[in-house]
Amino acid sequence: MFVGFLFTLFGIVVLGWLIGGNAEKRHLRKLAKAFEESGELMTEVRSFPGGAIPTNGAEMVVSEVVIANDYLKSFLASLRNIIGGEIHSYRNLMMRARQEAVLRLLHQAREKGLDSVCNIRLEFCKIGLGFSVLASGTAYKRQESISS
Amino acid sequence: MYVVNTETIPGMRIVAVKGLVQGNTVRAKNVGRDIAAGFKNLVGGELKGYTELLTEARRQAVERMLSQAQELGANAVVNVRFSTSAVSQGAAELYAYGTAVVAETEA
């Protein structure tokens, strides 16, 4: 009975790990592709690089993402805590969340017909079981994009 | 109302500064969403329920900030910043702040 319970638990965790790992790989591929294809200029400088076209207006864009690790990775990370060192699963998780948030900024800018986002700020906090990233920036239309 | 998180607005000149405006909110999702998030944790990935929670909270915080700016007679808010903090399990505070200004179109 107890062995059965353990076996079920183990099965759930491994299944989660397989599905989660697959989803992670797919997500990373999607992010890489999206950033490769995008012609948008994404910067975190305070002013408007390339010059903004005043008539198109500048508008703030905000996006948020909440992401969580699977139980197996969380467990392995807690084991890593004992001996110390870099925890790769959390490192990947954080980067995925940030990139996804920035990607959403880009999509919002595109929807408004704007081609650049400057002054991108990323805010991070722990919420419930997951980690949240809030990204904000100012979208504008670049002046140099007309001439080129 | 112009809202940007840069210090300037393209094509506009800031003629008066009205001061700091701010808005915050603390929001919680119901237990159902928390349980759903617990299941989602089996495989990891995005917790959509919490993302929605954050989006709603951000909208409300910005709304409160903008109504303050309106009361001050400003027509734009520049240099907007956000801050988030976890108040308790499943509840998040979202704080938005910026500088209310009066801007006019450059001649």
Side-chain angles (χ1 to χ4, degrees):
Chain A
M1 167 85 178
F2 181 67
V3 175
F5 172 72
L6 266 187
F7 194 74
T8 314
L9 195 71
F10 181 76
I12 288 171
V13 166
V14 167
L15 198 71
W17 177 60
L18 286 175
I19 295 170
N22 251 328
E24 184 180 357
K25 275 184 203 120
R26 248 183 292 127
H27 188 216
L28 286 172
R29 269 203 300 273
K30 182 194 130 196
L31 285 173
K33 195 162 159 253
F35 281 112
E36 217 172 81
E37 281 174 356
S38 75
E40 281 86 353
L41 180 70
M42 311 291 284
T43 55
E44 46 86 54
V45 295
R46 289 178 147 244
S47 57
F48 297 88
I53 301 170
T55 45
N56 280 82
E59 213 173 317
M60 192 168 71
V61 282
V62 193
S63 72
E64 40 279 293
V65 177
V66 181
I67 202 169
N69 236 349
D70 56 76
Y71 285 128
L72 185 66
K73 285 204 186 110
S74 305
F75 174 67
L76 292 177
S78 66
L79 286 186
R80 173 59 95 177
N81 257 351
I82 300 168
I83 46 171
E86 189 176 18
I87 304 173
H88 289 284
S89 63
Y90 276 110
R91 176 175 159 258
N92 276 339
L93 191 76
M94 303 294 174
M95 282 322 279
R96 273 170 68 201
R98 291 206 179 91
Q99 288 186 334
E100 179 67 34
V102 170
L103 191 68
R104 285 178 191 183
L105 287 187
L106 197 148
H107 283 312
Q108 280 183 35
R110 201 178 288 170
E111 267 170 31
K112 293 178 201 292
L114 305 169
D115 63 5
S116 309
V117 183
C118 69
N119 205 14
I120 294 174
R121 305 280 148 191
L122 293 160
E123 181 70 35
F124 173 87
C125 100
K126 202 171 177 335
I127 163 176
L129 301 157
F131 304 95
S132 82
V133 172
L134 189 141
S136 57
T138 299
Y140 63 104
K141 195 150 181 101
R142 208 159 63 242
Q143 235 154 24
E144 28 174 65
S145 62
I146 310 175
S147 54
S148 64
Chain B
M1 189 76 85
Y2 299 94
V3 185
V4 290
N5 80 343
T6 50
E7 282 167 15
T8 54
I9 309 168
M12 305 280 283
R13 199 161 51 90
I14 290 163
V15 290
V17 177
K18 295 289 186 184
L20 180 78
V21 284
Q22 49 197 344
N24 81 333
T25 175
V26 179
R27 285 199 157 220
K29 267 281 189 270
N30 58 42
V31 182
R33 295 283 185 130
D34 282 336
I35 293 168
F39 278 118
K40 186 70 211 271
N41 251 16
L42 276 176
V43 293
E46 187 180 358
L47 306 176
K48 291 235 165 65
Y50 284 141
T51 304
E52 274 167 33
L53 165 79
L54 216 61
T55 307
E56 282 165 30
R58 188 249 305 166
R59 287 219 179 102
Q60 194 166 32
V62 168
E63 232 167 67
R64 286 177 182 165
M65 180 183 76
L66 292 185
S67 70
Q68 264 193 21
Q70 227 150 24
E71 272 172 34
L72 289 173
N75 72 342
V77 181
V78 296
N79 217 10
V80 174
R81 297 271 178 272
F82 291 97
S83 177
T84 49
S85 43
V87 178
S88 69
Q89 278 281 331
E93 192 214 10
L94 215 141
Y95 175 57
Y97 55 112
T99 304
V101 297
V102 178
E104 56 182 38
T105 318
E106 264 172 359

